[in-house]
Amino acid sequence: MAGDNKVGVLPLFFCWALTAVAFVAKALSTAATVPLILDTDDAMRLTMVHDFLDGQGWFDLVQHRLNTPYGALMHWSRLIDLPEASLLFLLRPAFGAAADIALVYAWPLLLLVPLLWLTARLALRLGGRAALWPGLLLSSLSLITLVEFAPGRLDHHAVQILLALAMLWCAVVALERPRFALGAGVAAGAALTIGIESLPVVGATIMAFGLAWVATARQSVALRDFGLSFALSTLLGLAQGVPPGRWLVPAADAISGTYALAAILCGLAFLVLSLLPLRTVPVRLGAGLVAGAIAVALVVLSFPAILAGPYGQMDPWLLANWVDRISEAEPLWTSFASGPVYVVAVAVPVVTGLAVVAWNIVRRPQERGAWLVYGLVLTIAFVVMLLQIRAARFAVPLAAPACAALIGATWHRMVRTNGFGPILAMLGSVAASAGLIVAVFGTLVVAAFPAYDAGTIDPNRPGRQSCLMPAAFADLAGLPPERIMTPIDLGSHMLLYTPHAVVAAPYHRNEQGVLDTFRFFNGPIEEGRAILRARGIALVAICPAMSEVRGLVAHTADSFVSLFAAGTLPGWLREMSAAGAPLKVYSVEP
């Protein structure tokens, strides 16, 4: 039976190669119009990798050219910088100036291998051999894979997805092989260390091990091993990522003493519970609830700021006018109005996966434990996705193994049964499980309503993309280092492609820089001039297609935004950009 659970090198390589070729072909075909590094986080990540290779310290997470001239502390983990920097170091002798391009192709395509493998292993465990090929192929037909594992993607989300799948797979296998709980605990600690976006999946995994122990006392070994490995890996994550002087400084937006204490208490609680002779389900449930309540109370009493969440200490104006307007933080029903195709394409596979879970819980009592663990994690991921659409990056990959099991079952029935019913059932299972197929159907439906279709098209998108092409920064890159005021969404690319420093990029820890940027563009121009003077800003660079320049928030009649729209900027802003250039650059005259 052990051999039946192997993915196999040839199927894995075939599906990886097929997907990689498609991704590379897409990137090359759009290279003239779509920046390879499009997302601001990917640009900032590569900037941090450059700084790390240039000698910036492991514990020095300040982006010294951001919030100029003061610098801004980032909340990201070196655990992503290290492998990317190592790969870039190895690529530079062979590729020279093109090493960055080689990196942004190689890194996400390398991560595609464990994505396919983990999905297939979990599909095999849930659906048997018939689910192997669907498990390998569904990841390639997912919109999340198209975004998070495509060339140009350097941010940490792909690694978080892999760790979420590893947690879930280990949790399911640990029901029969308790030592796999160690892997789940290590993955959970690593996921929290890299970014707290993984917190809901980590919390769901903790609940899964706890409830599995409540259901049957023989899960005490897995409970203990998960708790101890989770606590230890989180402590190691804190030690490697935060200097000792800041271990007790509370932070809700990154690995900190707050999360380390929670992990330690979880580990201690699971250890004690595993050792107690609690013989009945009600007694174990009561003991677990008491232990959980004590752990939560101790964390809140020690670090009460955790109740306010990762943005709890931010300026209320920024929360209302910036953070709350981030499109990926919108609930699913709000996102549907502006991007129905994407929302449907990520929601349908997850709902399909949940339906498969429910069916198997009812119809396969011998496998009920595995499906209950799987269903708990997937349900929590789905609920979080309803509240914030960006959580689809977790929910959709986690749903793929269940969808693969469905396709495998319908295929098995089709080849054994005559008639059109089984054929239609198999085709329907594929259509409901593959986000790319759902997106194609959704696009056709939206196109049938031209008025609505036109309303969902952003006419400024090509202009924004042209501003983020490397060529747009060529002239600026040739100038000696200066301090530049840019729109917030232009800051990361300015840092990547030029030697200059900027006031803001879209990172909440740079609160003062973001506030000053909003005030410069939207407040009275003379107050904006005072901000430039205080920071020693020599240049102002804008992308006219960006929403910040077109009036993202309320602005005064004498603001930069208003004066630029009217073509009446003051004389102390002297344009120095070439005619037709994507970026407009102004020197700040005395």
Side-chain angles (χ1 to χ4, degrees):
M1 293 297 293
D4 290 340
N5 292 324
K6 291 183 178 179
V7 175
V9 174
L10 289 179
L12 179 63
F13 176 77
F14 173 80
C15 291
W16 174 83
L18 190 67
T19 307
V21 168
F23 280 4
V24 170
K26 179 179 180 296
L28 293 176
S29 67
T30 60
T33 56
V34 180
L36 182 59
I37 301 177
L38 177 61
D39 191 85
T40 57
D41 287 350
D42 299 319
M44 182 60 78
R45 176 66 69 183
L46 186 51
T47 300
M48 293 183 67
V49 167
H50 286 168
D51 292 345
F52 183 50
L53 282 176
D54 288 341
Q56 187 166 348
W58 180 270
F59 289 115
D60 181 8
L61 294 178
V62 173
Q63 178 43 248
H64 295 283
R65 292 189 292 138
L66 183 60
N67 190 32
T68 184
Y70 314 112
L73 179 65
M74 300 294 289
H75 61 290
W76 288 353
S77 171
R78 288 284 192 215
L79 290 183
I80 301 297
D81 294 342
L82 179 60
E84 291 183 357
S86 300
L87 182 57
L88 182 59
F89 179 79
L90 295 174
L91 291 171
R92 280 178 171 174
F95 289 91
D100 281 359
I101 303 300
L103 172 68
V104 297
Y105 273 96
W107 174 252
L109 295 181
L110 287 174
L111 295 182
L112 189 61
V113 176
L115 174 72
L116 298 177
W117 186 85
L118 284 166
T119 305
R121 285 306 300 259
L122 195 47
L124 281 168
R125 174 61 185 81
L126 296 171
R129 294 302 298 178
L132 171 61
W133 281 99
L136 288 169
L137 293 171
L138 277 182
S139 291
S140 304
L141 298 174
S142 163
L143 293 194
I144 300 303
T145 306
L146 292 175
V147 172
E148 302 297 346
F149 292 83
R153 201 69 167 126
L154 293 176
D155 200 16
H156 55 267
H157 299 309
V159 175
Q160 289 179 312
I161 292 168
L162 298 179
L163 291 170
L165 283 167
M167 269 185 275
L168 182 52
W169 176 55
C170 288
V172 170
V173 177
L175 294 173
E176 300 166 353
R177 303 164 71 181
R179 72 175 184 274
F180 273 78
L182 295 171
V186 171
L192 271 188
T193 300
I194 289 171
I196 55 109
E197 300 100 328
S198 297
L199 188 59
V201 178
V202 171
T205 306
I206 293 170
M207 291 174 59
F209 276 97
L211 291 174
W213 168 77
V214 168
T216 173
R218 70 172 181 271
Q219 294 298 323
S220 59
V221 174
L223 184 78
R224 177 200 66 202
D225 289 353
F226 172 80
L228 293 179
S229 60
F230 173 49
L232 180 59
S233 60
T234 306
L235 276 176
L236 291 175
L238 175 70
Q240 65 78 38
V242 179
R246 294 183 56 84
W247 284 357
L248 298 180
V249 176
D253 61 347
I255 186 67
S256 64
T258 306
Y259 295 110
L261 175 61
I264 291 170
L265 292 174
C266 175
L268 289 175
F270 279 11
L271 173 62
V272 171
L273 291 172
S274 70
L275 297 175
L276 293 177
L278 306 177
R279 303 189 183 282
T280 65
V281 169
V283 171
R284 288 195 295 274
L285 178 60
L289 291 174
V290 170
I294 291 173
V296 171
L298 288 174
V299 172
V300 172
L301 288 173
S302 302
F303 300 102
I306 191 68
L307 294 176
Y311 304 127
Q313 307 304 314
M314 285 192 68
D315 182 280
W317 187 91
L318 280 182
L319 286 174
N321 292 277
W322 184 48
V323 173
D324 291 346
R325 293 187 178 189
I326 297 174
S327 59
E328 66 173 18
E330 294 176 341
L332 182 142
W333 50 89
T334 302
S335 297
F336 181 82
S338 57
V341 173
Y342 175 79
V343 171
V344 172
V346 297
V348 169
V350 179
V351 173
T352 300
L354 288 171
V356 174
V357 169
W359 173 269
N360 282 279
I361 288 173
V362 174
R363 299 298 295 267
R364 297 178 64 189
Q366 72 279 10
E367 290 288 332
R368 186 169 292 156
W371 283 102
L372 283 169
V373 168
Y374 179 89
L376 173 63
V377 177
L378 182 58
T379 299
I380 290 178
F382 176 64
V383 170
V384 178
M385 185 182 85
L386 291 177
L387 300 176
Q388 289 196 345
I389 190 64
R390 61 182 165 193
R393 64 171 59 106
F394 289 105
V396 174
L398 292 177
C403 292
L406 171 65
I407 295 172
T410 55
W411 173 268
H412 192 265
R413 182 186 175 200
M414 184 188 71
V415 297
R416 289 174 174 264
T417 309
N418 295 324
F420 287 104
I423 296 175
L424 293 176
M426 193 277 295
L427 294 176
S429 67
V430 172
S433 301
L436 188 58
I437 295 177
V438 177
V440 170
F441 280 113
T443 301
L444 294 175
V445 171
V446 171
F449 300 90
Y452 182 82
D453 189 21
T456 62
I457 296 174
D458 181 4
N460 294 293
R461 187 175 185 179
R464 286 199 305 272
Q465 291 179 344
S466 66
C467 288
L468 302 180
M469 299 291 280
F473 299 88
D475 291 340
L476 282 168
L479 299 177
E482 296 281 8
R483 298 173 185 172
I484 304 182
M485 174 65 77
T486 69
I488 297 166
D489 286 342
L490 190 61
S492 295
H493 287 80
M494 187 67 72
L495 294 178
L496 174 61
Y497 293 126
T498 77
H500 307 305
V502 300
V503 177
Y507 305 103
H508 65 276
R509 284 198 175 185
N510 180 27
E511 185 173 341
Q512 191 56 56
V514 173
L515 276 171
D516 278 358
T517 299
F518 273 118
R519 288 166 179 160
F520 170 78
F521 284 109
N522 300 284
I525 193 66
E526 287 304 316
E527 293 183 10
R529 189 179 190 182
I531 292 172
L532 301 183
R533 186 180 300 115
R535 288 180 175 267
I537 303 298
L539 299 173
V540 175
I542 64 168
C543 173
M546 286 186 170
S547 56
E548 295 166 70
V549 180
R550 294 182 291 106
L552 178 65
V553 299
H555 45 278
T556 63
D558 60 342
S559 65
F560 182 100
V561 166
S562 299
L563 297 176
F564 175 76
T568 57
L569 287 173
W572 52 267
L573 286 172
R574 181 176 61 85
E575 185 171 358
M576 53 183 293
S577 49
L583 299 179
K584 288 190 173 295
V585 182
Y586 302 87
S587 64
V588 181
E589 300 298 318

